[in-house]
Amino acid sequence: MDNKTFLSDLTATFNTFYASEALVDHLTQSIQYSLNSGGKRIRPLFLLETLQGFEITITTAHFKVAAAVELIHTSSLIHDDLPAMDDDDFRRGQATNHKVYGEAQAILAGDALLLDPYLLLAESGLPAQDIVALVAELAYASGSHGMVAGQVLDMDGEQHSLTFEALKQIHALKTGRMLTFPFVAAGIIAHQSADVLVLLRALGEKVGQAFQIRDDILDVTATFDQLGKTPGKDITADKSTYVKLLGLSGAKAALAENLADATQLLTEISDQTQMTSDTILRQIERLRID
Ligand code: GRG
């Protein structure tokens, strides 16, 4: 399967899941608004590409796992845009969820998108022990052990000067854990050894750092049209970022270093498992900024 098919089958998975007439129409409308507003779907793509790399035949069960991580990601963006958090009017070039549906409805759409993934995983039809491991990994990535903790530390860090190590830890939790999930989840589904799972986790962590450094760089270099949201928000919030701590060229060097480490880990995983890595590598290369 190619990426185009991955993306269309993923959208079909969302549509099927939210198609039931028994659901509350305006809730599913607000959910679908954010789910289908032009996200890059990098987390599901990493999962499906890694599975394919392990020569797993992709089935609807795997699309449900891929959908699960995208739902939680979307939930976090809706909540992140709320007035109590980043207070953004635009996301992906469109009005944010709360601007269209109101704040209460946006909170509830985010809540549903946070919980629905566990129904998707439970009904995926994968072996029960894999589902348990995936549930644990997704909760670990997103909740108080992961993204939510990172968001709290990120907010605490506003108007403070953070050390490089503190900033790295915030990135690892806020962005890194959700980007680590796809690689570890693929390893779980492909029944890889504990040693390979360790390498897949390390790969996800490097990709996560690279992803957030890129986000920090684009916040100061990209336009509204390129970002689809207001640039310069980090400076306005007086946030510690890679750019603030290392300067623009230092941040670019840190991005290149994390991408090189990720590539090295990918080679190591391929050598140990015969995993095909070219599509994953192409995806990682897209994160590069020269
Ligand atoms: C409700 C689960 C939940 C969490 C609430 C608000 C919050 C806690 C966390 C925010 C986490 C956050 C916004 C992290 C930023 C991660 C990031 C770099 C997002 C951009 O990801 P892309 O580029 O977005 O993949 P697209 O638009 O392509 O989907």
Side-chain angles (χ1 to χ4, degrees):
M1 269 189 206
D2 58 14
N3 274 6
K4 221 172 132 201
T5 316
F6 280 157
L7 292 174
S8 62
D9 285 9
L10 185 68
T11 304
T13 307
F14 298 146
N15 291 342
T16 308
F17 186 73
Y18 287 114
S20 164
E21 285 182 6
L23 297 177
V24 178
D25 193 44
H26 53 287
L27 175 60
T28 49
Q29 258 182 40
S30 64
I31 286 173
Q32 287 278 39
Y33 174 80
S34 290
L35 265 183
N36 293 311
S37 63
K40 296 181 292 298
R41 317 254 198 244
I42 192 165
R43 296 156 191 80
L45 284 175
F46 273 137
L47 170 63
L48 296 165
E49 287 165 357
T50 309
L51 281 173
Q52 198 150 266
F54 283 128
E55 293 190 0
I56 302 282
T57 304
I58 308 293
T59 66
T60 51
H62 306 128
F63 278 102
K64 287 184 179 180
V65 183
V69 68
E70 187 68 6
L71 258 57
I72 296 201
H73 165 63
T74 308
S75 154
S76 78
L77 299 184
I78 295 174
H79 282 189
D80 192 51
D81 291 334
L82 288 168
M85 304 244 180
D86 261 10
D87 193 11
D88 268 301
D89 291 353
F90 293 97
R91 163 82 59 185
R92 301 163 176 158
Q94 295 187 38
T96 42
N97 196 294
H98 66 275
K99 282 279 151 190
V100 179
Y101 296 96
E103 223 176 300
Q105 183 65 52
I107 291 170
L108 292 167
D111 290 343
L113 283 163
L114 192 54
L115 297 165
D116 289 347
Y118 298 101
L119 180 54
L120 276 164
L121 291 182
E123 65 174 31
S124 65
L126 289 170
Q129 76 269 28
D130 293 354
I131 295 176
V132 172
L134 291 167
V135 164
E137 196 58 39
L138 194 57
Y140 175 72
S142 54
S144 55
H145 291 66
M147 178 173 57
V148 174
Q151 176 76 353
V152 170
L153 292 175
D154 193 31
M155 283 163 35
D156 290 349
E158 285 178 13
Q159 285 146 23
H160 290 100
S161 285
L162 297 179
T163 63
F164 184 68
E165 278 312 310
L167 184 64
K168 233 173 113 175
Q169 175 63 359
I170 292 173
H171 283 193
L173 292 169
K174 191 181 108 170
T175 306
R177 286 279 155 81
M178 287 291 287
L179 276 149
T180 301
F181 175 84
F183 298 105
V184 176
I188 290 169
I189 296 168
H191 297 153
Q192 291 297 313
S193 68
D195 286 352
V196 172
L197 289 183
V198 168
L199 290 174
L200 286 165
R201 194 178 296 285
L203 168 63
E205 285 166 2
K206 291 294 176 186
V207 171
Q209 284 293 330
F211 201 81
Q212 186 62 55
I213 299 169
R214 179 186 160 82
D215 207 62
D216 285 0
I217 294 172
L218 292 179
D219 187 68
V220 295
T221 59
T223 62
F224 178 90
D225 284 345
Q226 288 164 329
L227 281 184
K229 60 177 185 172
T230 318
K233 294 278 290 191
D234 294 341
I235 298 171
T236 315
D238 198 16
K239 257 189 185 175
S240 290
T241 67
Y242 266 76
V243 177
K244 191 173 169 196
L245 260 64
L246 304 176
L248 189 55
S249 61
K252 284 184 178 174
L255 171 61
E257 198 183 311
N258 276 283
L259 292 177
D261 290 350
T263 307
Q264 170 65 34
L265 280 159
L266 200 54
T267 309
E268 229 175 288
I269 295 164
S270 300
D271 289 349
Q272 280 199 26
T273 64
Q274 269 72 55
M275 181 184 80
T276 326
S277 60
D278 43 339
T279 48
I280 307 168
L281 192 58
R282 268 202 298 280
Q283 199 76 256
I284 289 175
E285 279 302 314
R286 287 206 193 103
L287 300 176
R288 201 171 285 288
I289 299 175
D290 293 320

